[in-house]
Amino acid sequence: MDLKSVPTRGRTLDYAAGIYDIFEPMLMFGREGEINEQLISLLDIQDFHRILDIGCGTGVITQVVSTALNSEKGGFVTGIDAAGKMIQGARKKRESRRCKFEVAAAEDLKFEDNSFDSILSTLFFHHIQLDLKEKAFAEAFRVLKPGGKMVISDMHIPTTFFGWLISHVSRWILFQPQIGENIRGVLPSLIEEAGFEKPKIVCTYFGYISIFTTTKPISRP
Ligand SMILES: C[S@@+](CC[C@H](N)C(=O)[O-])C[C@H]1O[C@@H](n2cnc3c(N)ncnc32)[C@H](O)[C@@H]1O
């Protein structure tokens, strides 16, 4: 039976679930292995950690993260996505004792406060509009443990002509104003306004995808 998507104003990808795994490596220009390795090293994973992957799609990166975890020691990663078909595909191909998937909207998580050691999100925030970006960061802040790390990889202010071209073309071809918000550079201030430490940009790939790291302060300022 088909898994039901949850209601959201975000741009979900139910329609692309069957082909997403073919296109994702193309979007990463074949460098997904290197990029995934970098994301994982930035998460400072311990094998007993509980990790959340927000907007996980078919769970490619979620599964890579899970290889650093030990379910016997309580370690697991949960990938969430609002699109039922994405989660259905993820469960079929990638679910294990240390790699779980749930249908959920990032702006309305059902997890308890302080329940994850770290949070990862890749190529998700350009799928939701500004008010949902704010809510999703507020939810990420709520469910992350104090001192926990958050790593975000997403479209940001382009740094090269190629990056500028690909950002603006995709914003207009896909009719996606949410991309316009990202390329205007809204993410760092939204992250900070949610209560996280000022995010650092670790690097920018292809002139348009930046990796941010931040931490939830031990005590809120
Ligand atoms: C481009 S995909 C990224 C998938 C994966 N993280 C990756 O890097 O390949 C963006 C995902 O966000 C999901 N999405 C859109 N709005 C959402 C929301 N409000 N909450 C959770 N997921 C959402 C879409 O269904 C889609 O699977």
Side-chain angles (χ1 to χ4, degrees):
M1 204 171 70
D2 280 355
L3 267 183
K4 269 185 86 171
S5 301
V6 289
T8 176
R9 285 181 290 112
R11 182 173 281 222
T12 51
L13 291 186
D14 272 311
Y15 62 90
I19 52 167
Y20 190 78
D21 283 2
I22 301 167
F23 280 101
E24 201 262 352
M26 290 185 202
L27 295 174
M28 295 289 107
F29 300 96
R31 289 174 69 188
E32 69 279 8
E34 170 200 337
I35 297 172
N36 292 349
E37 251 178 52
Q38 179 169 31
L39 291 168
I40 286 163
S41 73
L42 289 169
L43 281 169
D44 296 332
I45 301 177
Q46 307 277 326
D47 59 4
F48 56 85
H49 274 179
R50 297 161 175 230
I51 301 175
L52 177 65
D53 181 5
I54 299 177
C56 66
T58 54
V60 176
I61 298 177
T62 328
Q63 186 186 37
V64 178
V65 168
S66 78
T67 59
L69 299 169
N70 183 342
S71 62
E72 310 277 294
K73 295 187 183 171
F76 66 86
V77 53
T78 300
I80 68 106
D81 199 287
K85 288 205 168 78
M86 283 295 210
I87 293 299
Q88 202 159 340
R91 282 188 180 166
K92 200 166 149 198
K93 294 183 196 166
R94 308 195 163 97
E95 193 158 60
S96 70
R97 285 175 63 191
R98 57 188 181 180
C99 186
K100 310 171 187 191
F101 297 98
E102 288 182 26
V103 184
E107 63 272 21
D108 182 24
L109 298 175
K110 305 295 178 210
F111 305 110
E112 289 182 9
D113 295 359
N114 309 324
S115 42
F116 292 97
D117 296 286
S118 54
I119 292 182
L120 171 69
S121 180
T122 60
L123 302 179
F124 159 66
F125 278 90
H126 69 275
H127 277 250
I128 54 172
Q129 36 279 83
L130 203 58
D131 63 314
L132 295 188
K133 286 179 170 75
E134 280 170 8
K135 285 187 181 146
F137 281 128
E139 281 292 78
F141 187 87
R142 181 181 68 73
V143 302
L144 184 62
K145 291 181 185 172
K149 202 155 182 195
M150 182 168 79
V151 177
I152 305 285
S153 166
D154 219 309
M155 297 178 80
H156 185 50
I157 302 169
T159 57
T160 61
F161 175 68
F162 174 75
W164 180 91
L165 193 67
I166 206 157
S167 306
H168 286 272
V169 167
S170 51
R171 185 258 175 267
W172 291 106
I173 282 188
L174 300 170
F175 298 104
Q176 207 161 318
Q178 302 93 325
I179 292 179
E181 296 159 7
N182 278 51
I183 61 187
R184 282 202 309 276
V186 301
L187 291 184
S189 53
L190 291 179
I191 292 170
E192 223 180 325
E193 282 160 21
F196 292 97
E197 306 277 8
K198 190 180 174 64
K200 291 191 190 100
I201 296 185
V202 178
C203 65
T204 299
Y205 283 101
F206 318 121
Y208 75 106
I209 296 173
S210 292
I211 299 184
F212 302 92
T213 60
T214 185
T215 306
K216 177 171 172 174
I218 303 278
S219 63
R220 204 168 179 176

